[in-house]
Amino acid sequence: MDNEKKFARTLVTTALPYANGPVHIGHLAGVYVPADIYVRYLRLQGENVMFVGGSDEHGVPVTQRARKEGITPQQVVDRYHKIIKESFEELGISYDIYSRTTSKTHHQFAAEFFRKLYDDGKLIEKTTKQFYDEQDGKFLTDRDVEGECPYCHHPAAKGNQCEDGCGRDLDPTELINPHAKDSDHPLVLKDTTNWFLPLNEYEGWLKEWILEGHKEWRTNVYGQCKSWLDNGLQPRAMTRDLDWGIPVPVEGAEGKVLYVWFDAPIGYISNTKELCEAQPERWGTWQQWWQQQDTRLIHFIGKDNIVFHCIIFPTMMKRRLCDARQCAVQRVPEPRGRQDLN
């Protein structure tokens, strides 16, 4: 942590828990209690600190829970957002705002964030092949595809990772005898068009910003980022073929939504915006908290959230919010916490 520079304000965020189940002791011990202790300490020191949280209510885990229970995704997130929010309140976690990614403010802000990138030509449009269930008439996400792992031959590896076997990251096309997770429907590969964030174009900036500028980051955080950068960054899809999420605000993108890991971290900003608009006399504007170099940003996150918070989200902000003179991302987010939340 920068002990020398004095900041006008400190923004503390906690990883947004998926609203497809309640929080448990690991979540609390790894992220939420340490964050609350730190915020309370800053408040006692008289610092200007904002504590932001919220529920992550989009993504495949929510749709899987909805199918399992025979209810709608909205019913799932309404139930678990309420449970999670009340749990934090009962435990005394002192958020200044705990909102959700199905809020009107978030939907509008995330859509505008994407549209600005699109209009400025900062996204890449690519057509790739993706598994398609002809019987159900829909594309399947990586997590909705299962099959035999090509490495350890575990019979139920997921399309993105062999979670219960060797642990390797996978591409669904690598699986042996792939099929839909919830059925034995045969799958075909079909062309689909999505929009990608060109991480490779920011590799030089990220290397300088992280590897040279933030050697004080925790060893596991720094090491994981260095590994990704040393292996070379590739464009990453920021949209998905799904019917649950924020619709892609582009003509001809029907049936597509924003990728949950594009959508969710924007929740930190949209929740800040929601709080500032509700209490402008206390908090000022959201831009002061996200686009000023005299703001310190600290993320309390899980161990599997590192790449998203330290490489993908900073690139999104650099590409959308920043210029050469003014942006909080040009100084340090300080990733903290140990527990994987998602």
Side-chain angles (χ1 to χ4, degrees):
M1 185 180 299
D2 188 342
N3 290 320
E4 297 180 2
K5 182 174 179 178
K6 297 299 182 182
F7 294 93
R9 63 196 70 80
T10 298
L11 176 61
V12 178
T13 77
T14 54
L16 309 185
Y18 271 133
N20 71 326
V23 291
H24 57 67
I25 191 67
H27 298 151
L28 295 166
V31 174
Y32 301 107
V33 171
D36 187 63
I37 291 170
Y38 180 64
V39 167
R40 287 173 182 271
Y41 167 77
L42 293 182
R43 289 172 180 154
L44 288 171
Q45 295 297 308
E47 293 200 25
N48 184 21
V49 56
M50 180 190 291
F51 190 19
V52 173
S55 297
D56 181 358
E57 300 184 329
H58 299 129
V60 177
V62 171
T63 61
Q64 290 176 338
R65 169 73 72 170
R67 286 198 300 269
K68 182 179 179 180
E69 297 189 15
I71 58 179
T72 67
Q74 188 65 56
Q75 288 174 307
V76 170
V77 299
D78 285 346
R79 178 205 302 166
Y80 286 112
H81 171 71
K82 183 175 185 292
I83 290 172
I84 293 169
K85 189 172 187 292
E86 289 178 350
S87 295
F88 287 144
E89 290 171 352
E90 291 170 2
L91 287 161
I93 306 298
S94 56
Y95 286 113
D96 292 303
I97 183 170
Y98 187 87
S99 192
R100 55 196 305 191
T101 59
T102 57
S103 74
K104 182 179 178 180
T105 297
H106 178 72
H107 269 237
Q108 181 178 356
F109 191 90
E112 290 175 352
F113 195 110
F114 181 91
R115 184 70 200 203
K116 176 64 174 174
L117 290 176
Y118 176 85
D119 288 342
D120 290 349
K122 293 182 177 179
L123 298 172
I124 298 172
E125 184 176 323
K126 291 177 61 177
T127 298
T128 59
K129 291 190 180 297
Q130 188 172 327
F131 279 117
Y132 187 81
D133 186 330
E134 292 185 305
Q135 189 164 330
D136 285 344
K138 65 180 182 180
F139 284 100
L140 299 181
T141 66
D142 296 353
R143 293 173 65 96
D144 281 325
V145 180
E146 285 190 351
E148 182 182 334
C149 177
Y151 300 99
C152 71
H153 300 286
H154 189 281
K158 291 182 175 61
N160 62 334
Q161 186 180 28
C162 184
E163 290 183 357
D164 299 320
C166 62
R168 286 176 183 260
D169 289 335
L170 298 172
D171 184 279
T173 58
E174 295 181 273
L175 295 175
I176 301 169
N177 299 321
H179 59 85
K181 180 180 184 296
D182 298 322
S183 73
D184 291 324
H185 296 172
L187 304 178
V188 297
L189 284 171
K190 186 175 178 179
D191 286 344
T192 182
T193 299
N194 282 289
W195 286 269
F196 289 66
L197 183 68
L199 297 174
N200 51 302
E201 294 182 11
Y202 283 79
E203 191 171 302
W205 171 71
L206 287 165
K207 283 183 176 179
E208 181 180 356
W209 181 62
I210 297 172
L211 302 186
E212 300 302 322
H214 294 302
K215 294 181 180 180
E216 81 283 1
W217 282 1
R218 289 187 175 186
T219 302
N220 65 315
V221 175
Y222 185 86
Q224 190 174 141
C225 291
K226 186 176 187 304
S227 176
W228 269 63
L229 291 167
D230 287 347
N231 289 331
L233 300 179
Q234 300 298 322
R236 191 179 184 100
M238 294 292 109
T239 61
R240 290 289 190 270
D241 292 272
L242 284 172
D243 56 5
W244 175 248
I246 298 175
V248 175
V250 173
E251 298 76 10
E254 293 75 17
K256 300 180 190 294
V257 300
L258 301 184
Y259 175 39
V260 67
W261 269 110
F262 179 90
D263 153 27
I266 292 174
Y268 299 136
I269 311 174
S270 65
N271 292 348
T272 304
K273 182 174 186 287
E274 184 179 331
L275 179 60
C276 288
E277 289 179 346
Q279 301 177 41
E281 68 289 345
R282 166 65 180 89
W283 299 107
T285 67
W286 72 265
Q287 289 92 340
Q288 289 176 296
W289 293 89
W290 283 96
Q291 293 181 283
Q292 297 284 353
Q293 289 196 31
D294 59 354
T295 298
R296 175 173 53 179
L297 172 63
I298 300 178
H299 294 304
F300 282 75
I301 62 176
K303 64 181 184 297
D304 283 359
N305 305 155
I306 291 171
V307 168
F308 297 103
H309 285 81
C310 299
I311 291 180
I312 297 175
F313 186 40
T315 301
M316 289 165 54
M317 290 196 291
K318 178 74 170 174
R319 207 153 173 83
R320 168 64 179 84
L321 297 177
C322 298
D323 60 32
R325 298 178 303 280
Q326 188 177 57
C327 187
V329 77
Q330 294 190 23
R331 26 122 250 97
V332 57
E334 301 176 48
R336 294 179 178 274
R338 302 178 303 278
Q339 197 68 28
D340 176 20
L341 298 185
N342 301 321

